[in-house]
Amino acid sequence: MKVLVINCGSSSLKFQLIDSNTEACLAKGLCERIAIEGSMISYTPAGGEKEKKVTPMPDHTEAIRLVLDVLTNPVTGVVKNLDEIGAVGHRVVHGGERFAQSVLIDDAVLKAIEECNDLAPLHNPANLIGINACRKLMPSTPMVAVFDTAFHQTMPEEAYMYGIPYEYYRKYKVRRYGFHGTSHSYVSRRAAQVLNLKYEDLKIIVCHLGNGASVSAVKNGKCVDTSMGLTPLEGLIMGTRSGDIDPAIIEFIAHKENKNIDEIMNILNKKSGVLGLSDNLSSDFRDIEEGYFKGDENAVRAMKTFCYRVVKQIGAYVAAMNGVDIICFTAGVGENGPLVRTLVCEQLGYLGVELDEEANAKRGEDIEITQTGCKTKVMVIPTNEELAIARETVQITEQRA
Ligand code: AMP
């Protein structure tokens, strides 16, 4: 089956067409600046040239129409007509407590996703717009929602509850949900597969380190804890997000700087993290890495603090699982940043971790980067959220048939 995977944001839309039999990506692309002047679509068929076109996209329906046009283009397209697309898989950020698994989309599911909008006001409405636009243009094609939060729904109560009045959980479902679930699930399974070990027997820690960053603890094939919380602001220090802070800092800064809650939240989401720590040098780890090697004090501070927090989070999950067999690095920084992996692994001697420098310097493959025989294995597993969404989509669609 050919599966169209859609990841729809408020003004952008990423897509991939995947052949589920071979698991090959047939084409991929991106619509940018939807409903903003200067809208643009880029499209790359497998083995072909990337093409870019500036073209008006007044709304997401028009963006999806353009995606379907490029995929069926007689010269550069990869399918003859839309009937060849067997299903569409949509990434949905927040499924609340309602969705512990992917689900076939119908009107009731759409309503339930809408009810989670409060929990992810920046993401879920955009995801819904993408789903509705697709349903309009492909009314008879099955659509599946794959949730970022679903994999983490197996966490026990003691891992997902906060130490605040219980009534906020009862009334508003305030609790830890976690994000990047599709990635944590894909990477942890893949690590077991690459090492030829049984997933259900392992204790795995996945460090998803990208612009957004989270760590998860996966025990016997189930997520038992993760570092992001009610929202993706909690946990590690990220590109521009603060991660964990003393909540009293919010009031302290608000008084000192005469700012309101919205302004402070904006600072914690967009001006903090590595960007803020480096005194605005950059949120991009390539710049931080370059500065670190030059001895730039802002870059050194940001890099060391970021890595220290990853080390601490790993330690917490070793404790939570009473041990660890495999530690995985993934996402933009985790896959491409050998320095981050080195600085983290240097502090994991207590787990018997010894890096294989040659393996650590490689890129783009599933690889063990610890020396042969280490008790705890460290691996780099490039994440593939689109493939994971396509797999889920096929599974759910076939269950229905
Ligand atoms: P993601 O959110 O997973 O797409 O990751 C994006 C981040 O990965 C970027 O902001 C960069 O900081 C980081 N990144 C990408 N390439 C490299 C690289 N070669 N070395 C270090 N960091 C990288």
Side-chain angles (χ1 to χ4, degrees), residues 40-154:
M40 192 164 45
I41 179 166
S42 60
Y43 168 73
T44 316
E49 293 279 304
K50 180 173 182 167
E51 51 186 73
K52 264 188 172 187
K53 194 166 128 193
V54 176
T55 178
M57 284 178 223
D59 55 34
H60 286 76
T61 308
E62 192 52 32
I64 303 255
R65 199 190 308 279
L66 285 164
V67 169
L68 300 178
D69 277 355
V70 289
L71 290 171
T72 52
N73 181 292
V75 183
T76 52
V78 288
V79 285
K80 284 201 192 69
N81 57 57
L82 294 183
D83 295 342
E84 280 186 48
I85 300 176
V88 182
H90 292 270
R91 176 185 182 219
V92 179
V93 166
H94 218 307
E97 285 190 329
R98 167 76 191 270
F99 297 107
Q101 274 166 4
S102 305
V103 64
L104 196 69
I105 296 172
D106 59 19
D107 290 343
V109 166
L110 281 181
K111 191 161 171 291
I113 297 175
E114 208 177 321
E115 282 164 13
C116 300
N117 279 3
D118 255 8
L119 295 168
L122 296 179
H123 297 100
N124 269 29
N127 301 154
L128 281 168
I129 289 172
I131 295 172
N132 284 322
C134 260
R135 284 181 104 200
K136 212 192 262 178
L137 297 171
M138 306 168 83
S140 52
T141 309
M143 314 246 157
V144 172
V146 180
F147 300 92
D148 261 21
T149 47
F151 181 61
H152 305 303
Q153 276 296 305
T154 48

Side-chain angles (χ1 to χ4, degrees), residues 124-338:
N124 269 29
N127 301 154
L128 281 168
I129 289 172
I131 295 172
N132 284 322
C134 260
R135 284 181 104 200
K136 212 192 262 178
L137 297 171
M138 306 168 83
S140 52
T141 309
M143 314 246 157
V144 172
V146 180
F147 300 92
D148 261 21
T149 47
F151 181 61
H152 305 303
Q153 276 296 305
T154 48
M155 282 186 287
E157 190 181 37
E158 63 267 29
Y160 70 70
M161 286 308 296
Y162 292 115
I164 58 174
Y166 190 69
E167 65 173 295
Y168 300 135
Y169 172 69
R170 216 174 22 233
K171 285 205 269 193
Y172 312 119
K173 295 282 175 228
V174 173
R175 51 159 283 180
R176 175 183 310 286
Y177 289 96
F179 299 86
H180 298 138
T182 314
S183 176
H184 287 287
S185 165
Y186 172 86
V187 168
S188 53
R189 269 173 224 279
R190 181 80 189 127
Q193 191 185 27
V194 170
L195 292 176
N196 206 13
L197 296 169
K198 203 163 162 232
Y199 187 49
E200 289 74 19
D201 290 344
L202 294 167
K203 295 170 181 172
I204 304 174
I205 294 175
V206 179
C207 306
H208 177 112
L209 311 179
N211 226 340
S214 66
V215 182
S216 69
V218 183
K219 188 177 180 182
N220 306 333
K222 291 201 162 69
C223 176
V224 293
D225 207 345
T226 191
S227 59
M228 282 179 167
L230 173 76
T231 75
L233 184 56
E234 192 184 346
L236 297 179
I237 290 166
M238 310 183 209
T240 62
R241 284 175 239 161
S242 65
D244 294 342
I245 59 165
D246 178 347
I249 292 173
I250 295 174
E251 187 205 24
F252 186 86
I253 304 280
H255 285 159
K256 291 280 183 201
E257 297 271 321
N258 197 21
K259 292 193 187 305
N260 63 33
I261 284 276
D262 290 346
E263 288 169 316
I264 299 282
M265 292 316 290
N266 192 46
I267 291 167
L268 295 180
N269 272 300
K270 306 223 169 108
K271 301 199 167 145
S272 300
V274 164
L275 175 69
L277 256 175
S278 66
D279 206 9
N280 295 319
L281 175 64
S282 177
S283 65
D284 193 307
F285 273 80
R286 284 163 285 207
D287 302 328
I288 300 294
E289 206 170 279
E290 197 185 316
Y292 179 91
F293 284 122
K294 284 189 193 146
D296 177 307
E297 62 175 311
N298 289 316
V300 171
R301 180 192 318 113
M303 180 62 88
K304 281 187 158 176
T305 316
F306 173 85
C307 291
Y308 176 70
R309 292 279 282 269
V310 176
V311 169
K312 270 214 306 193
Q313 197 66 62
I314 290 172
Y317 290 162
V318 173
M321 295 193 289
N322 191 20
V324 61
D325 300 303
I326 308 169
I327 298 170
C328 305
F329 286 92
T330 194
V333 183
E335 291 167 29
N336 301 302

